[in-house]
Amino acid sequence: MQDVNEIRAWRKQFRWECVARREAIAHDQVHDWNARITDLLTGGFPFQAGMTVGLCWPIRNEPDARFALRHWREQGVVGALPVVVEKSAPMQFREWHPGTKLEKGVHDIPFPVDSGVVIPDVAIAPANGFDDRGYRLGYGGGYFDRTLAAIAPRPIAIGLAFDAFRIETIYPQSFDIPMDFIVTEAHIYRGGGDAIAALDPAQCAAEFRALLADRGLPRVARAAALP
């Protein structure tokens, strides 16, 4: 498939097929899969105190990273939720913790109303589908990719999906940014644009630390090193 319009139409159709399939999954099954995803997130990604992680509030039976965030917050990690502040522009991340005032924005996704703006070291995003090179299919607005591209150094990107929604390719375009990692109920995958590979939590932790160092993250460490 080469034609851009054909690819766009296919991605739109496949995206909403995935959403419909996911919404049809039984609540108990999603609960069990989310528990496994939480275990893999907390076991594979050793955050340092002071780091900031951005994640999306789950909708439509999406994988839920909030339970992992609760574990990380106990270790001193700052949580944040994204908000669309302007159409076709990068999103803004605002600090979030339980009790923060929320309102609904694009796609009825809750966001903090008056919290401070933060820059994430790690950004976690749900995927309607993902492919064999770690590319993620979102909702078509391009906000997540645009946001990653606008932040330097670029946050480590973790896609969340259920393993049944893996396909050979989503036909990534020039604006698509591959996830550094994809976490499902079955595996942690190393992404980055090459063929994805399953990692155990210890292998993931080592690669996560190496990627943090390579990008000069976390930002709190960079700030502390300044004279």
Side-chain angles (χ1 to χ4, degrees):
M1 193 184 304
Q2 298 294 329
D3 181 76
V4 172
N5 290 327
E6 185 181 3
I7 290 172
R8 184 181 296 116
W10 177 88
R11 282 168 48 133
K12 181 178 181 180
Q13 179 179 344
F14 181 69
R15 171 184 299 117
W16 294 111
E17 287 176 356
C18 288
V19 172
R21 284 171 52 203
R22 192 180 62 231
E23 288 185 312
I25 300 172
H27 173 78
D28 288 348
Q29 182 68 82
V30 172
H31 181 273
D32 289 345
W33 286 350
N34 274 329
R36 297 180 198 173
I37 288 172
T38 297
D39 287 343
L40 290 174
L41 284 171
T42 56
F45 298 92
F47 284 85
Q48 304 170 28
M51 288 178 65
T52 299
V53 56
L55 69 158
C56 298
W57 195 277
I59 61 171
R60 299 185 170 195
N61 255 7
E62 289 173 341
D64 191 347
R66 291 175 297 175
F67 299 100
L69 177 59
R70 180 171 61 185
H71 169 82
W72 292 325
R73 286 186 65 248
E74 292 172 352
Q75 301 174 9
V77 170
V78 176
L81 298 178
V83 55
V84 174
V85 293
E86 182 181 345
K87 187 176 181 179
S88 300
M91 296 183 294
Q92 185 181 87
F93 281 89
R94 297 178 186 172
E95 186 172 349
W96 174 81
H97 54 77
T100 300
K101 183 180 178 181
L102 300 175
E103 290 184 358
K104 291 186 177 181
V106 175
H107 299 301
D108 287 333
I109 300 174
F111 68 90
V113 177
D114 50 14
S115 298
V117 176
V118 295
I119 301 176
D121 299 299
V122 176
I124 301 175
N128 292 315
F130 70 101
D131 71 14
D132 289 346
R133 292 171 56 205
Y135 284 94
R136 157 192 174 272
L137 191 65
Y139 285 97
Y143 286 105
F144 191 70
D145 294 303
R146 198 176 294 116
T147 302
L148 291 177
I151 301 175
R154 199 173 79 197
I156 292 176
I158 303 174
L160 294 187
F162 298 131
D163 219 63
F165 296 90
R166 175 181 173 177
I167 60 170
E168 182 179 353
T169 182
I170 66 158
Y171 299 98
Q173 302 299 288
S174 60
F175 49 80
D176 287 310
I177 295 177
M179 300 294 96
D180 296 302
F181 300 92
I182 300 277
V183 180
T184 74
E185 79 285 359
H187 299 288
I188 301 172
Y189 297 103
R190 180 68 163 93
D194 296 322
I196 61 175
L199 305 172
D200 65 34
Q203 291 171 323
C204 180
E207 295 210 16
F208 178 66
R209 291 189 183 99
L211 194 54
L212 285 171
D214 183 62
R215 293 195 187 166
L217 296 168
R219 293 169 215 283
V220 65
R222 287 164 56 88
L226 294 175

